[in-house]
Amino acid sequence: MEAAVKPQRQMVRLRGRSYVAFVFVPTVPIQDWLQEIDTTIARSPGFFAGRPVVIDLSSVDLSQSGIGHLLTSLQDRNIRVLGIEGVEEGRLNPMMPPLLSGGRSCVVEPSAPKKVEAKVETKPTSLLLESPVRSGQTVIFPEGDVTILGSVGSGAEVVAGGSIHIYGALRGRAMAGVNGHTSARIYCQKIEAELLAIDGFYQTADDIDAALRGKPAQAWLQGNTMRITALN
C-alpha cells in the first residue's frame, strides 16, 4: 500500500516595496511650529492630503503625553503619521505609530492619478519631455535636470534632483533639488505656479510677486530663502 503523499505547504509570498514620506522635524515651541503647518495648509490646501508623514523628534524633548498631543494635533489637520523616529522606544505607547530607523533621504514622490516616468536602460543626467505635463500627472527624475518643452498644467507636478526648465507656462508645482542640490534652479517662460520648491524650501502662489505672474521667471536659493525674479 502506497503511503499517502503529504501535501506541500504553501509558503506565504512576501515582496519588498518602498514608499517615501515627508519627514516633519518639530521645533519648540510646538504651538508655533503647528501654526507654520497651518499656514502651509491654508496656502496650498490638500498639499499633505493622502501623503504619509514621518515625525523626527530628535530636535525636541517630549514626554509620552506630549508626543500623543502632537500626534492628535496632526491628525486633526488630516496629516497621516506613518512612523516616528529620533526618540526612545520607551516614550511611545502601543497606540502610537511604530518607531522607525534606517531611513535615508530620497526624492519625495507626490501622489497623483497618473505618472510619467523616464524609461531608460542607463541613468542619464537629464530628462527631456517634448509633450506638456497635464493636470494630474507627476514627473519624477531624481538623477538630474528636467526640461519640458511644453507647459505644466494646474494640478501637475515636476520633481527633479537638479534644475527644472519649462519652456511653456508653469501652472502646477515644481520641486527642484530634492536630493539636497541647493544650487538647483527653476526656470519657466510663464510663471503661474501653485508651488515652487528647491531643496525643501518653498513658496506658494500667494508668495509670488503679482508683477511676475504670466511672465518669464526663475527661482533659486539665497541661503535659506527662495528668490523669484524676472528672467531677462
Side-chain angles (χ1 to χ4, degrees):
M1 181 176 180
E2 296 182 0
V5 178
K6 186 177 181 180
Q8 291 185 343
R9 183 180 177 184
Q10 182 67 37
M11 300 298 293
V12 176
R13 189 176 185 183
L14 301 178
R15 291 181 177 179
R17 185 166 296 174
S18 298
Y19 292 91
V20 293
F22 285 116
V23 177
F24 283 6
V25 184
T27 56
V28 292
I30 295 294
Q31 194 59 40
D32 290 349
W33 181 80
L34 288 170
Q35 288 179 358
E36 294 180 6
I37 298 295
D38 290 337
T39 300
T40 300
I41 294 174
R43 291 179 175 177
S44 185
F47 184 66
F48 300 115
R51 300 181 182 180
V53 168
V54 171
I55 302 296
D56 181 356
L57 298 178
S58 59
S59 297
V60 294
D61 184 13
L62 297 179
S63 63
Q64 187 177 93
S65 60
I67 296 173
H69 178 71
L70 173 61
L71 294 173
T72 300
S73 299
L74 293 173
Q75 184 176 359
D76 291 343
R77 290 164 172 80
N78 294 320
I79 295 176
R80 302 178 180 179
V81 178
L82 175 70
I84 301 174
E85 61 182 19
V87 67
E88 297 177 357
E89 187 174 5
R91 296 197 184 188
L92 305 181
N93 64 47
M95 301 302 294
M96 293 179 178
L99 183 66
L100 303 179
S101 63
R104 57 179 180 174
S105 299
C106 63
V107 58
V108 175
E109 177 179 344
S111 58
K114 299 178 181 179
K115 181 177 174 181
V116 178
E117 295 182 336
K119 295 182 178 180
V120 291
E121 294 182 357
T122 58
K123 286 188 176 181
T125 57
S126 63
L127 170 66
L128 172 65
L129 295 179
E130 298 183 359
S131 58
V133 182
R134 305 187 185 280
S135 178
Q137 291 183 317
T138 298
V139 175
I140 303 173
F141 190 73
E143 286 81 14
D145 296 354
V146 173
T147 300
I148 299 172
L149 300 185
S151 297
V152 177
S154 177
E157 291 181 313
V158 180
V159 181
S163 297
I164 296 175
H165 307 257
I166 300 171
Y167 284 79
L170 170 55
R171 300 186 178 94
R173 299 171 178 172
M175 305 167 70
V178 294
N179 291 329
H181 185 15
T182 57
S183 61
R185 297 198 177 203
I186 299 173
Y187 304 90
C188 63
Q189 288 300 313
K190 188 176 182 181
I191 186 167
E192 297 175 353
E194 298 170 354
L195 180 140
L196 300 176
I198 299 177
D199 189 30
F201 298 94
Y202 67 91
Q203 289 194 21
T204 63
D206 293 339
D207 300 319
I208 301 173
D209 188 348
L212 292 175
R213 299 195 70 84
K215 298 180 180 178
Q218 64 173 325
W220 78 96
L221 286 183
Q222 189 173 62
N224 292 336
T225 303
M226 179 184 291
R227 295 199 59 192
I228 304 174
T229 59
L231 182 62
N232 297 325

